[in-house]
DNA sequence: AATGAATGAGCTTTCATTCAT
DNA sequence: CATGAATGAAAGCTCATTCAT
């Protein structure tokens, strides 16, 4: 039963294989087969395998941000908003484990190294903060004295990396965390970033 | 003239190249050249390239643990020991950036995905905890009520991942962290794991 | 609205691209685009890319011959007619550099290798001599003792190849030959074929 | 029965296939098979297929020149030396038809276009004339008034292209030219270049 | 024990050709 | 008639692994 949109079939197939096997065990031939598509079709939509990978990243990051933003209400205490934000990211990734694994692979590969820190740089230059509220929130928290006076990069590390690790455990399913445990975890990271 | 040397030359060369180029730009021919060794020699000591990589990981992990253990004195408050431990790991990795980069690459590649969670499993089964005092320390802290009553895995996440991120920033040199900033950072992670 | 147009658009586009890029950088997709035509259209008029190329050759050769014939008056001395003929061919190719480059490519490729010697064979079998007066002229010259008594093939070699080389230089513009220099050149080839 | 020198097997196989099929119907896999060699072996000796082709050309050109030079005695009249030179080139190519076909392909392909005129440029700048006596000979002839006062390029065209065409006919075997006919042919080209 | 020339499976990418619309 | 998305065979090239020396 052929899908209407072959481009999206390629993206889906690529994510699945890369998530399972890593970038370098994801030959284009396999991606094509998994997508029920000829190899040439990949190259109709993407200039190269590299471009495919970068576009998947860009596409999926945009999606997370959209999701997180939908859920986010810039009201309430800094802590309440912080917890909410962590929850959103966590929920999205747990519900889209392919995205989680793909991000993990991408950000720790030659492909993603350049992107790794660029969001924060952009934020410092006053750009795009509206699409990713965590940076904004932390900055606001620093100004009002709620958040530690520490390099933004480090505050993000104390939050984002921890979320990622929690997602990993939840996906691999060994812990079976309930909502309360997750809440407790984010509460713990909050203690590390707050004064 | 001990033969062991050539084996170690291969390990050293492999780490250097993988750190610089990543796993997939590290052909055995280049490793051999860098090690001043014939390509066949690699296969005398390692069954395959995969085995080489896994052995390097095992070897270097053992080394970090040995280093950390040497430095570690099981006295003083839990917090003091916690801070000391974080410092040890941080110092080792900052002074051995090749190891850091190798670990980072390994753990986020198909090679290491299986290993990523296994240490803690081992600990739970009563194994190897003696070589890696963090697990022991956290357990002890939980028993004496200083450390949060949370899955061990999560406590490790709140500590180890943060150390790694700090190392990355220090190595890449963007932040130029002084001792006080590093101390403040570990203090922050302590707040997240302690009651 | 004659349909012939699309066919001719394809021919024109193919010549332009082949002249600029060579046979092997002339994908059908590019030819189609240049011709403002769908890729499938090429295959309505030509059974394959090979057939397209062979037909272009046949078509353009016929055109040169027609042009040369139009210009040719079977009067005057053998030499005068020889010079006139050389001029005609030279002029046509210099004014239609696409044809020159296409012929050059074609005749020195696997496509054209079989055709390279066939015209003269045809002439010997009494065919097509009327469309290409050079063979006729040389034969007539031999009969009246003005032209060397040499294999026709060789006489053609002494003339045609030299014209082609002169055209190449003129098109590439390195020499900037004036009419007199061209005349002198053909005069030189005349000396080689005449008694 | 494996040959000692795999590099030369590759060169030989490449020449045979390219001569028969052209550059673009000479896949490296076929070259390897014909040479009784793995595909990787080609790349041990040549950085790329392009480099292989350029090196073959350089190697074989050097060989022709060496052969011609061995035979050449810079004594006697300009004409005698001219005839001798033409003979040498003709003999070499007829006895090494693979070289002839390879040169023909190379010089009329994107590979060789750059080299096509460079010898003459080099000569004008006073270089390498000693390895290819034709240019020297023609220049000397012009100075002593025996050779036409015409662009060197054109004089070469009147000689070399004609030799090439003669070789083509001889190799394809339709004419079965005897020594006398060949002599007569070169005599004819002499008439075109001499005053 | 040590070497590195040799191998060929497997990679990414191109492009002539087809066929549903 | 005309289209161009889709195809997959085949290209150039890499590199883990073997083995004669």
């Amino acid at each position: 039963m052929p899908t209407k949109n072959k481009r999206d079939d390629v993206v889906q197939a690529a994510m699945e294989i890369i998530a399972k096997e890593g970038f370098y065990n994801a030959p284009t031939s396999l991606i094509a087969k998994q997508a029920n598509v000829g190899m040439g079709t990949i190259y109709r939509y993407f200039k190269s395998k590299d471009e495919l990978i970068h576009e998947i990243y860009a596409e999926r990051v945009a999606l997370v941000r959209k999701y997180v933003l939908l859920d986010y209400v810039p009201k309430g205490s800094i802590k309440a908003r912080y917890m909410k934000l962590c929850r959103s990211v966590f929920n999205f990734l747990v519900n889209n484990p392919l995205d989680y694994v793909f991000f993990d692979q991408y950000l720790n590969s030659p492909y993603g190294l350049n992107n790794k820190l660029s969001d924060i740089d952009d934020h410092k230059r006053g750009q795009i903060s509206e699409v990713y509220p965590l940076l904004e929130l932390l900055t606001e928290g620093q100004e009002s004295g709620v958040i530690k006076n520490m390099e933004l990069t480090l505050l993000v590390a104390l939050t984002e990396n921890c979320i990622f690790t929690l997602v990993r455990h939840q996906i691999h399913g060994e812990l079976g965390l309930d909502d309360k445990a997750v809440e407790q975890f984010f509460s713990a990271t909050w203690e590390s970033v707050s004064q």
Side-chain angles (χ1 to χ4, degrees), chain A residues 6-7 10 37-46:
Chain A
K6 301 227 178 213
R7 199 203 98 109
V10 169
V37 139
M39 283 173 49
T41 302
I42 295 175
Y43 291 87
R44 174 161 295 283
Y45 294 107
F46 306 96

Side-chain angles (χ1 to χ4, degrees), chain A residues 15 19 60 90-104 167 170-172:
Chain A
M15 284 185 70
R60 304 306 299 189
F90 178 78
N91 283 341
F92 182 92
L93 292 177
V94 165
N95 292 325
N96 299 274
L98 240 46
D99 283 277
Y100 165 70
V101 183
F102 183 85
F103 290 153
D104 208 34
V167 171
Q170 183 72 329
I171 287 174
H172 288 216

Side-chain angles (χ1 to χ4, degrees), chain A residues 131-194:
Chain A
V131 296
Y132 193 37
L134 177 61
L135 299 170
E136 217 177 17
L137 185 64
L138 291 170
T139 307
E140 186 190 331
Q142 286 182 320
E143 282 159 7
S144 61
V146 185
I147 297 287
K148 284 202 176 74
N149 191 19
M150 204 185 244
E151 263 290 341
L152 205 49
T153 316
L154 299 181
L155 295 172
V156 171
L158 291 167
T159 302
E160 247 185 2
N161 286 296
C162 295
I163 300 177
F164 265 57
T165 308
L166 192 66
V167 171
R168 174 158 59 242
H169 286 294
Q170 183 72 329
I171 287 174
H172 288 216
E174 306 117 3
L175 299 179
L177 304 164
D178 56 19
D179 276 12
K180 225 183 105 188
V182 173
E183 211 67 20
Q184 188 195 11
F185 185 83
F186 293 138
S187 193
T189 68
W190 167 258
E191 287 173 44
S192 72
V193 299
S194 63

Side-chain angles (χ1 to χ4, degrees), chain A residues 24-182:
Chain A
Y24 293 93
N25 292 101
T28 48
S29 58
L30 190 59
I31 294 174
K33 191 189 267 183
Q34 172 100 349
N36 280 314
V37 139
M39 283 173 49
T41 302
I42 295 175
Y43 291 87
R44 174 161 295 283
Y45 294 107
F46 306 96
K47 228 164 53 194
S48 66
K49 192 187 172 188
D50 275 27
E51 201 193 86
L52 165 62
I53 287 166
H54 287 304
E55 274 202 32
I56 292 178
Y57 177 72
E59 202 170 307
R60 304 306 299 189
V61 161
L63 198 67
V64 196
R65 289 184 172 167
K66 199 174 136 198
Y67 174 87
V68 168
L69 215 55
L70 275 179
D71 223 31
Y72 182 71
V73 184
K75 283 180 190 164
S77 70
I78 301 276
K79 178 172 182 187
R81 282 186 273 157
Y82 177 89
M83 299 291 284
K84 173 89 179 165
L85 218 47
C86 289
R87 259 295 186 189
S88 285
V89 174
F90 178 78
N91 283 341
F92 182 92
L93 292 177
V94 165
N95 292 325
N96 299 274
L98 240 46
D99 283 277
Y100 165 70
V101 183
F102 183 85
F103 290 153
D104 208 34
Q105 295 259 346
Y106 182 86
L107 294 171
N108 292 290
S109 79
Y111 288 114
L113 287 183
N114 299 329
N115 286 21
K116 209 163 194 171
L117 305 166
S118 65
D119 286 343
I120 295 168
D121 289 349
D122 288 348
H123 173 76
K124 285 183 181 162
R125 289 194 223 91
Q127 296 171 329
I128 74 151
S129 60
E130 67 285 357
V131 296
Y132 193 37
L134 177 61
L135 299 170
E136 217 177 17
L137 185 64
L138 291 170
T139 307
E140 186 190 331
Q142 286 182 320
E143 282 159 7
S144 61
V146 185
I147 297 287
K148 284 202 176 74
N149 191 19
M150 204 185 244
E151 263 290 341
L152 205 49
T153 316
L154 299 181
L155 295 172
V156 171
L158 291 167
T159 302
E160 247 185 2
N161 286 296
C162 295
I163 300 177
F164 265 57
T165 308
L166 192 66
V167 171
R168 174 158 59 242
H169 286 294
Q170 183 72 329
I171 287 174
H172 288 216
E174 306 117 3
L175 299 179
L177 304 164
D178 56 19
D179 276 12
K180 225 183 105 188
V182 173

